[in-house]
């Protein structure tokens, strides 16, 4: 037997008992005739005492050979500590060791196994098994596990059935790039890994499953960014005979339940915001509503006063940074302007208006506008003495995006984005289609299966090109603290409407049939009205923990090149494997 | 709103209420001035009443257009039925319809949506969304969902943490064939889909996770048989600081819990059988212990009496079919012999000894053995009047396999294999290595990470070739009703022992390092003793339901050619996709 107790459970009530513990050596303090060793496992830390005067010499000498991360088994008596440690749940006791077995030795780890480690990213990923020993990383993954358990509890209680959909499916050119899997038995053909179980869950609704969910791996072969992984996990759901309202209520319920059970936070009712308002007021379809600083448009006040830059702009729009006037010297403003002019944001310039504490007004466009003009702006922003307006201008869409970046930056600088404050928000009424000027075609804003709003169905079936741009969808996103946690829509369940949508998206009837014939077919055999949603599970874990990197919530993440540094994958495969798959590798020189 | 109630919940207490229901038209009976329509959803069936004398003419005419599988919404009043249906939970009431909306029409389905359908396999797979509407198929998948919920409940309560391991991993030549995934960002390199999360769960133990589980998809590119699928699901577990005994107890606990909660069956303690005994007594490492009919070896009694076939055989072994003597004419025996001589079994012949009810003895080898001889055989089998011995001979391993087939066949014929009787069994002490005469190399009986028994470690490190064949492992299988439900082992956690095992399995040190260097490395940084098990989840569902085809418990199974008939995958992909992946398809003419 390796243990009678784990390293986190011994208390005063165990004093006098003989116990056996197993775990890792966290460290030792040798004070000559006695040695204290901290023994660690997933459950906690227990202090071991090797006392030369009590135990035999050999055991004491053996104890002295123990290095960090050695795995040992000890037997001994639980005794009360003389100097207790109130910060440790086991801090009242220690174990006086009478038997010691070294189960496995350990080389000196390449970085320290502590909450704050000295290991760099690459080293930590290569030795992920050591990184995963750190309490902070373990806690993240235990949190994730707990969140999955509670998600399943809630959805099961609500009558959802978890159904596993296949991983080896069919490649579809729509959307992001697929990972593909060559088929040996069907030579020259390929499976694809699912980007989402979208069509399968719709098929389950056609099959009468009524309420489906799945916590499921999905795959996208995209160029990676910090918050993207080639494989990621979704809480995927679908319901029949529902309206948008039913879905929002159900998943607002799930979100509240998770915050309550896992973090003991009671969230009030989630506000809802129209997509158009989100863009107008925050320049983003995922606004961070932990703080206000809403956009105020100045076209009416700022144009026609002889400042050509504003006069020629489609939109003049700004934000009010509360209490910032006194903290931004000309040099600071210049730096901020340069930050906005970086290629990532690409703003032309930045106009400021300071309403100083002493009542004076100062602005970079002071020569074009009277103090009265500027005070009128201030009124529109509801600015108080000490506040500073930051104003951009240009083409509407672009300017809003730029101002969104500035708003988030100012929010951070002003300490308005506390990671342990949670502000969920439903963004609703997304456009159905997005017109791409470059390729001169429509893209699905959500995906090709999204239904237009009921009152837009007729317009969609019979309207002209311009009408299509104005169609709104029963599509919605859940946003928390500026992060898109999930999105979904009511789906089309009518063959004619679905065919029309495919046509608008540029599919020929033959392509639509080849890719989605099974779904169009299914719609002819009694498909119910249905809709659903998917939450990004990795992101949900990250945001709920008040953190920002999804990698810290994935046991074995891949790096920006899509590599698993620990197992060193992907890798070459044997020629025989390629031959069996009827494939040749053909790398072109660049 | 689509519904106030579902189709399974209305009772007498709802009489008088106005309700709205949505669902599928199961069928209608038109009796002229009234029409009864059964409305179906996942939850049940409710009878709708269209009464020409009460509702308006138009509604009644509209109701007459309803075909099978139409999706409708109705509003009406719950009334007490005149002729009640005690077989239906909603059988006391019906809904007198006042409003009817056809939500979606349906073509006539290609097969009937009933428990026993007239659809063939191919048709059912192509129209899986209709097949999945059948109550029997839905029940299977609801059962599966329930089993997953209860599995997670049990393991979570036991302190197991669910951790998601990656799906895009590294190809390893050991074991079955991998599915591979070409990497676009790492040209010419491939990921592999996991055959199991084996090395990752061991890494999690090295990382101190202590108790891990996952219900997880695994993949094998094998030629398919009826009970094999290219993607399948495992309940995958691993524990640290445990012995074989700890693991058997934990997972016997899980199995009992599942039978109790899901089927209300109390299973007694699971018997344990040594691998060697299983082969000796049943000719199989997964014996069906719902019935006895154990093998009895006759070498001592049957040899040396002048019957050359037995004299020259390595093994003479038989079973006793209780009460079968009277039911097998010479013709029946001949047929049974021919059944045994089919190439699948390939027995040379079949010897019988009948102990007739009248006390006489009859045998196909009567001329070689005296009645006294045969009665001595009977005694060894504990045969009673009316029983029949069936005896095979030949090379030991082959003969046992053949007799296993005969035993199972006779068990079925004698009605001893009731699918609702459940007999679990632990088979333990598997050999560590299997010598393959053909390739002249060892294979891992379980997998390359399995530990020899403690007392075999020294022999393994220092023994000769013959010693290796005799090594026993801490490896175990859970068998229920002759089906292997799961298997596992205590793992090696020592670098030297693991390296030795790789060497025995024919890896060069370089190959071992290239494939499993991360694991060997992990063993140097304090790997704890650990072990685990994996249950085949598809099989567990199937066996617990008393059924035999795992496809009936998978929502979207693939056929024997690995094809998904519904979505028609795998399929061709675009040339641009191949080019991005630096691949050429190169199908050789055969």
């Amino acid at each position: 037997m390796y243990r009678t107790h784990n390293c986190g459970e011994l208390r005063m009530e165990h004093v006098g008992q003989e116990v056996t513990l197993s775990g890792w050596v966290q460290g030792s303090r040798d004070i000559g005739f006695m040695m204290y060793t901290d023994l660690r496992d997933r459950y906690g830390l227990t202090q071991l005492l090797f006392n030369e005067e009590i135990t035999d010499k050999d055991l004491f000498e053996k104890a002295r050979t123990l290095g960090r991360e050695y795995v040992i088994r000890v037997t001994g008596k639980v005794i009360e500590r003389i100097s207790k440690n109130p910060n440790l749940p086991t801090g009242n006791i220690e174990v006086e060791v009478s038997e010691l077995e070294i189960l496995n030795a350990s080389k000196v780890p390449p970085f320290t196994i502590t909450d704050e480690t000295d290991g760099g990213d690459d080293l930590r990923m290569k030795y992920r098994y050591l990184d995963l020993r750190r309490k902070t990383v373990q806690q993240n993954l235990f949190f994730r596990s707990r969140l999955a358990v509670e998600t399943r509890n809630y959805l099961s209680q609500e009558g959802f059935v978890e159904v596993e959909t296949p991983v080896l499916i069919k490649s579809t050119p729509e959307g992001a790039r697929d990972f593909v899997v060559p088929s040996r038995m069907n030579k020259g053909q390929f499976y694809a890994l699912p980007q989402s179980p979208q069509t399968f869950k719709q098929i389950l609704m056609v099959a009468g499953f009524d309420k489906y969910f799945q916590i499921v791996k999905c795959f996208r072969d995209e160029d990676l960014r910090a918050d993207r992984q080639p494989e990621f996990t979704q809480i995927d759901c679908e319901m029949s005979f529902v309206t948008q309202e039913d879905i929002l209520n159900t998943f607002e319920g799930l979100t509240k339940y998770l915050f309550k059970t896992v973090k003991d936070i009671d969230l009030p009712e989630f506000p809802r915001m129209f997509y158009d308002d989100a863009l107008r007021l925050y320049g983003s379809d995922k606004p961070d509503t932990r703080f206000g600083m809403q956009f105020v448009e100045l076209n009416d006040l700022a144009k026609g006063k002889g400042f050509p830059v504003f006069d020629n702009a489609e939109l003049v729009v700004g934000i009010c940074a509360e209490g910032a006037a006194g903290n931004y010297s000309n040099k600071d403003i210049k730096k901020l302007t340069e930050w906005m002019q970086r290629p990532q944001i690409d703003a032309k310039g930045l106009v400021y208006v300071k309403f100083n504490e002493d009542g004076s007004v100062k602005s970079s466009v002071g020569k074009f506008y009277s103090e009265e003009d500027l005070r009128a702006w201030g009124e529109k922003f509801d600015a108080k003495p000490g506040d500073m307006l930051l104003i951009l201008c240009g083409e509407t869409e672009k300017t809003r995006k730029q101002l969104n970046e500035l708003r988030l930056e100012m929010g951070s600088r002003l300490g308005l984005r506390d990671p342990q404050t949670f502000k969920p928000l439903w963004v609703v009424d997304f456009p159905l289609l997005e017109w791409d000027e470059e390729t001169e075609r429509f893209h699905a804003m959500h995906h090709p299966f999204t239904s237009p709003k009921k009152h837009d169905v007729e317009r969609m079936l019979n309207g002209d090109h311009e009408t299509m741009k104005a169609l709104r969808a029963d599509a919605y996103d859940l946003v928390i603290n500026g992060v898109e946690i999930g999105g979904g829509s009511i789906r089309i369940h009518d063959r004619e409407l679905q065919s029309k949508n495919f046509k608008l998206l540029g599919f020929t009837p033959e392509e639509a049939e080849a890719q989605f014939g099974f779904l169009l077919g299914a719609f002819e055999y009694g498909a119910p009205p249905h809709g659903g949603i998917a939450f990004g599970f990795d992101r949900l874990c990250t945001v709920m923990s008040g953190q920002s990197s999804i990698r810290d919530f994935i046991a074995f993440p891949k790096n920006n090149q899509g590599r698993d540094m620990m197992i060193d994958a992907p890798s070459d495969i044997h020629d025989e494997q390629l031959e069996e798959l009827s494939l040749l590798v053909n790398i072109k020189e660049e």
Side-chain angles (χ1 to χ4, degrees), chain A residues 573-586:
Chain A
I573 59 173
H574 286 245
D575 290 342
E576 303 88 71
Q577 281 176 285
L578 285 172
E579 198 164 323
E580 275 197 318
L581 297 170
S582 305
L583 288 181
L584 292 176
V585 169
N586 175 44

Side-chain angles (χ1 to χ4, degrees), chain A residues 194-469:
Chain A
Q195 297 184 28
S196 96
Q198 183 60 35
T199 50
F200 287 97
K201 67 177 175 175
Q202 293 191 241
I203 286 291
L204 287 173
M205 293 303 103
V206 177
F209 275 57
D210 208 75
K211 290 178 176 179
Y212 143 93
F213 87 102
Q214 193 182 187
I215 300 184
V216 60
K217 274 279 173 76
C218 300
F219 306 85
R220 274 181 212 166
D221 184 10
E222 289 178 324
D223 296 320
L224 301 175
R225 300 195 310 245
D227 65 338
R228 288 253 179 96
Q229 284 280 312
E231 51 180 299
F232 55 97
T233 303
Q234 278 186 193
I235 306 172
D236 191 52
C237 302
E238 197 80 0
M239 305 168 79
S240 290
F241 301 117
V242 289
T243 59
Q244 169 172 305
E245 191 62 28
D246 297 315
I247 294 177
L248 297 195
N249 288 336
T250 302
F251 291 91
E252 185 165 326
L254 168 63
T255 309
K256 284 179 177 171
Y257 174 85
L258 292 178
F259 270 92
K260 181 64 187 167
T261 51
V262 179
K263 294 189 73 86
D264 198 25
I265 291 176
D266 286 293
L267 291 177
E269 197 178 330
F270 296 4
R272 298 185 187 179
M273 191 182 290
F274 293 120
Y275 171 84
D276 288 344
D277 289 339
L279 290 193
R280 190 171 51 80
L281 296 172
Y282 299 94
S284 166
D285 60 2
K286 44 181 183 182
D288 183 346
T289 50
R290 278 174 297 183
F291 63 107
M293 217 188 276
Q294 291 186 348
F295 292 8
V296 172
E297 301 188 354
L298 286 180
N299 282 17
D300 52 347
L301 297 180
K303 285 189 171 200
K305 302 273 181 169
F307 180 41
V309 178
F310 281 1
D311 286 348
N312 297 328
E314 190 181 358
L315 179 68
V316 182
V317 60
I319 52 174
C320 174
E322 279 183 42
N327 300 322
Y328 279 77
S329 65
N330 284 348
K331 201 174 150 193
D332 295 330
I333 300 258
K334 189 167 170 246
K335 264 186 166 169
L336 188 62
T337 306
E338 281 164 8
W339 185 85
M340 287 295 291
Q341 288 170 332
R342 289 172 311 145
Q344 299 97 306
I345 300 185
D346 197 24
K348 290 267 182 331
L350 176 64
V351 168
Y352 74 87
V353 184
K354 286 185 188 172
F355 297 96
N356 294 319
E357 293 280 2
D358 64 7
S360 65
V361 182
K362 197 175 168 231
S363 172
S364 45
V365 293
K367 29 179 169 173
F368 298 98
Y369 296 93
S370 67
E371 188 172 322
E372 196 182 344
D373 286 340
L374 297 176
R375 288 201 189 278
W377 297 9
E379 259 169 54
K380 199 164 182 194
F381 277 94
D382 209 11
K384 297 176 300 298
D387 291 355
M388 174 169 69
L389 309 188
L390 294 167
I391 298 163
L392 298 178
C393 70
E395 186 271 316
T396 300
E397 200 180 326
K398 200 171 162 191
T399 306
R400 284 175 171 171
K401 270 189 195 157
Q402 293 165 345
L403 192 58
N404 168 49
E405 298 291 339
L406 182 61
R407 175 179 174 270
L408 294 175
E409 174 67 16
M410 293 310 292
S412 296
R413 292 188 183 191
L414 294 172
L416 303 173
R417 302 178 73 190
D418 170 23
Q420 290 301 331
T421 298
F422 299 97
K423 293 289 179 189
L425 170 76
W426 287 111
V427 178
V428 300
D429 288 12
F430 275 74
L432 181 70
L433 301 165
E434 207 176 7
W435 178 252
D436 185 339
E437 292 290 350
E438 211 169 305
T439 58
E440 296 215 313
R441 49 169 289 204
F442 282 113
H443 290 289
M445 190 85 178
H446 184 51
H447 58 48
F449 312 105
T450 299
S451 176
K453 291 203 162 281
K454 213 160 191 176
H455 60 255
D456 273 349
V457 170
E458 269 310 305
R459 295 168 65 197
M460 177 169 168
L461 288 173
N462 302 311
D464 60 11
H465 182 79
E466 284 309 303
T467 308
M468 297 308 146
K469 292 187 186 173

Side-chain angles (χ1 to χ4, degrees), chain A residues 514-525:
Chain A
Q515 295 299 331
F516 301 110
F518 66 98
L519 189 66
L520 292 169
F523 285 174
E524 297 186 314
Y525 288 99

